[in-house]
Amino acid sequence: MRAVVIGGGVAGLAAAYELVHGGHEVALFEAGPVWGGQVRTFEIGGGRIESFYHHLFRSDTEIVALIEELRLGPDLEWIDSNVGMHADGRNYPFVGPLDLLRFDRVSPLTRLRLGLTALWLRRVSDWRRYEGQRASAWITSRVGREGYRRVWGPLLRAKFGAYAEDVSMVWFWGKIYLRFASREGGLFAKEQLGYLRGSFGRLVDALVAAIRAGGAEAEHGVAVERIDVAGGRVRGVTLAGGRVVPAEVVIATVPSPLFARLLPELPELDARYSELLGSVRYQWATVLVLALDRPLSGIYWLTMTDDDCPFVVAVEQTNFVPPERYGGQHVVYFSRYADPGDPIAEQDVEEVLDEYEPFIRRINPAFERGWVTGRWLFKDRAGQPIVHMRYHETIPPHRAPAAGLYLANTTQIYPEDRGQNYSIRMGRRVARLALADAERVRRRGSPAPTLP
Ligand SMILES: Cc1cc2nc3c(=O)[nH]c(=O)nc-3n(C[C@H](O)[C@H](O)[C@H](O)COP(=O)(O)OP(=O)(O)OC[C@H]3O[C@@H](n4cnc5c(N)ncnc54)[C@H](O)[C@@H]3O)c2cc1C
């Protein structure tokens, strides 16, 4: 069977890897100049680092299994988590329950309510009970307005900005449940975060190498221009430049609006599917990355809770792994999820640094421009789908409305928050689904249903 996979992020790489394993003829095309999509990397001080900060949780078992499978297991490090909150000019460590009890920005009663609510959530494994509920309303009812405004509200704002109030309780459950459930030793155990020595770019490279070793064509810098469909079946793809690549199976891992653009006849094929693709709203992910000649703070992951702060998290990579990996430089990401209309969509690195500088000084009042040895700005317009209250009703099925055509992108990760683990799981599952469908057609001579 001949298959085309569109997109060389981890979902596309995992799908192509699975198909190659099954002995099929595969062609994988990535439009960007490098592999990896949202996990793409660059260099600082001779060390490789992700353009967008990345770590793993203990619950990320699919990616860990793949890392082992590709013989990178010995380089997967588990490091004690070092997270905190910034409020009113102070950095508060937030590593364990005792830190919560010391968080004097809220009353002792609110601290107790926050702790009890986290304990409660980690015991509830059935997320369906939260379907259709707003996280903001649920949290406020359990921890009060103060706890929401000072602690969990900022965490929601950090990801969803103006849409924070409308975020589904299922998303919030996933954040708490999956993080605590993965701690060995329960709530009082220290959280550990995973990192691949040398960056997750090594996993991306290993996947590309395995795909090519299996005989597949794998090219980056080559965009698919359209998906070719005739008689209700996918026939292949046409690349920018006009080359036609015939295929019985096409798996697209691109964001939903791009998928719709690759298949202009979609509204005629299935108006409902087309509507579902159109209904997703994404926040842009933006990060300003600074290399510094000294540390900024002592915390890896610092959530900014002040309302006026233009970035929502400061991620100091070198409080996670040592600065020696980046030629002795200290690396900090300043992250902001933004609406498509946000000025940052048009701004350059200097403009963003100018805007962020006074707020960086709130983290460390001694900070000066002279500390900065390198600066970069990265943006991804499909950074985070907005998981609103009725989100589950809007998720498009993997089987797209032409036999042999599949979609596997971050909008379909649910109820978990999007992450490499789930993109890999989805890529592999959708490849297996495509193979099972093809096998059914071969055996019975009847086409698979277009929708599950
Ligand atoms: C700021 C940020 C922080 C994150 N932090 C973490 C973390 O700590 N841990 C974690 O596990 N995950 C994290 N993630 C999530 C993780 O990176 C994603 O879940 C995962 O990388 C998504 O992979 P994907 O293949 O589904 O999509 P993508 O990576 O978006 O891949 C899609 C690919 O399709 C390509 N493409 C688009 N159009 C075409 C076309 N016409 N032809 C060919 N190719 C095309 C794109 O160039 C892109 O490379 C983070 C993401 C962001 C944005």
Side-chain angles (χ1 to χ4, degrees):
M1 191 190 73
R2 179 155 175 108
V4 165
V5 177
I6 311 175
V10 286
L13 290 166
Y17 176 74
E18 191 71 26
L19 291 167
V20 164
H21 252 226
H24 302 280
E25 205 184 317
V26 178
L28 165 68
F29 300 108
E30 162 57 45
V34 293
W35 295 105
Q38 293 184 349
V39 204
R40 61 191 175 271
T41 54
F42 68 112
E43 268 193 30
I44 299 182
R48 207 166 163 195
I49 186 167
E50 295 74 15
S51 306
F52 299 101
Y53 44 86
H54 274 77
H55 59 238
L56 301 181
F57 296 113
R58 285 279 187 191
S59 49
D60 289 339
T61 51
E62 299 269 340
I63 186 171
V64 171
L66 184 60
I67 286 171
E68 301 283 349
E69 210 172 306
L70 293 165
R71 300 206 171 83
L72 294 171
D75 287 336
L76 180 60
E77 311 170 283
W78 289 99
I79 303 158
D80 282 349
S81 147
N82 168 11
V83 301
M85 286 218 172
H86 179 94
D88 304 329
R90 268 184 67 187
N91 301 331
Y92 293 85
F94 239 90
V95 175
L98 293 180
D99 290 324
L100 174 63
L101 294 176
R102 285 189 210 109
F103 185 58
D104 61 10
R105 307 313 300 162
V106 297
S107 68
L109 177 63
T110 300
R111 286 175 234 172
L112 186 68
R113 290 173 80 179
L114 284 162
L116 290 175
T117 305
L119 269 176
W120 163 259
L121 279 174
R122 74 179 277 272
R123 298 183 71 84
V124 178
S125 56
D126 181 12
W127 51 272
R128 285 182 181 80
R129 64 195 289 174
Y130 297 125
E131 208 76 273
Q133 294 191 51
R134 281 195 173 86
S136 53
W138 190 94
I139 297 168
T140 307
S141 72
R142 296 303 193 285
V143 304
R145 276 180 205 287
E146 190 192 32
Y148 178 73
R149 198 168 55 82
R150 293 269 186 190
V151 180
W152 279 336
L155 294 180
L156 290 177
R157 267 206 314 281
K159 238 357 184 350
F160 299 101
Y163 302 94
E165 297 293 302
D166 201 31
V167 170
S168 165
M169 183 57 200
V170 174
W171 183 88
F172 187 71
W173 165 87
K175 271 276 151 205
I176 301 287
Y177 178 81
L178 290 173
R179 277 182 79 159
F180 284 114
S182 67
R183 286 185 193 196
E184 282 164 24
L187 187 66
F188 287 88
K190 247 191 153 189
E191 179 180 60
Q192 289 195 312
L193 302 176
Y195 193 68
L196 193 59
R197 186 180 270 271
S199 88
F200 289 103
R202 293 186 58 213
L203 172 62
V204 167
D205 289 353
L207 281 166
V208 173
I211 291 163
R212 286 188 175 142
E217 175 183 3
E219 291 183 51
H220 62 69
V222 177
V224 170
E225 203 163 69
R226 60 169 289 131
I227 296 168
D228 302 319
V229 169
R233 274 210 69 82
V234 75
R235 304 289 165 177
V237 299
T238 303
L239 305 180
R243 183 181 149 203
V244 174
V245 184
E248 293 144 66
V249 162
V250 172
I251 299 178
T253 64
V254 304
S256 294
L258 294 184
F259 182 65
R261 231 177 283 159
L262 292 177
L263 192 59
E265 53 272 74
L266 187 64
E268 291 107 74
L269 286 170
D270 188 330
R272 171 73 186 138
Y273 199 93
S274 175
E275 228 174 76
L276 290 178
L277 292 186
S279 70
V280 65
R281 295 281 166 269
Y282 289 98
Q283 293 275 83
W284 283 56
T286 70
V287 290
L288 169 70
V289 187
L290 295 184
L292 306 174
D293 65 3
R294 68 199 80 185
L296 184 70
S297 79
I299 294 175
Y300 163 56
W301 184 280
L302 188 64
T303 302
M304 307 299 291
T305 65
D306 297 345
D307 287 341
D308 58 343
C309 186
F311 53 88
V312 288
V313 192
V315 182
E316 195 159 344
Q317 175 81 355
T318 38
N319 288 329
F320 185 41
V321 298
E324 289 68 40
R325 294 192 188 172
Y326 312 107
Q329 295 172 84
H330 296 258
V331 182
V332 194
Y333 298 88
F334 299 92
S335 164
R336 161 152 148 209
Y337 286 91
D339 278 336
D342 190 292
I344 199 166
E346 303 295 330
Q347 283 172 331
D348 65 21
V349 66
E350 292 306 325
E351 289 168 310
V352 174
L353 179 54
D354 284 346
E355 185 187 352
Y356 287 10
E357 189 174 349
F359 299 91
I360 297 173
R361 214 165 275 129
R362 284 194 191 168
I363 298 172
N364 183 340
F367 171 76
E368 287 173 12
R369 282 278 180 120
W371 297 11
V372 178
T373 54
R375 64 199 72 179
W376 300 263
L377 181 66
F378 298 106
K379 305 177 191 179
D380 189 304
R381 51 173 71 222
Q384 170 73 48
I386 294 162
V387 186
H388 54 77
M389 211 173 68
R390 307 225 75 90
Y391 187 77
H392 57 292
E393 294 164 9
T394 67
I395 299 173
H398 292 304
R399 286 193 185 108
L405 178 61
Y406 300 84
L407 177 66
N409 71 22
T410 54
T411 67
Q412 296 159 304
I413 294 171
Y414 188 83
E416 302 92 351
D417 188 22
R418 59 102 176 91
Q420 294 179 87
N421 185 64
Y422 303 107
S423 293
I424 287 168
R425 181 180 73 184
M426 182 175 57
R428 297 186 89 167
R429 278 187 184 166
V430 171
R432 288 197 292 268
L433 175 71
L435 293 178
D437 284 351
E439 181 60 18
R440 196 178 314 129
V441 174
R442 200 181 60 78
R443 281 220 194 114
R444 294 196 200 140
S446 64
T450 48
L451 295 174

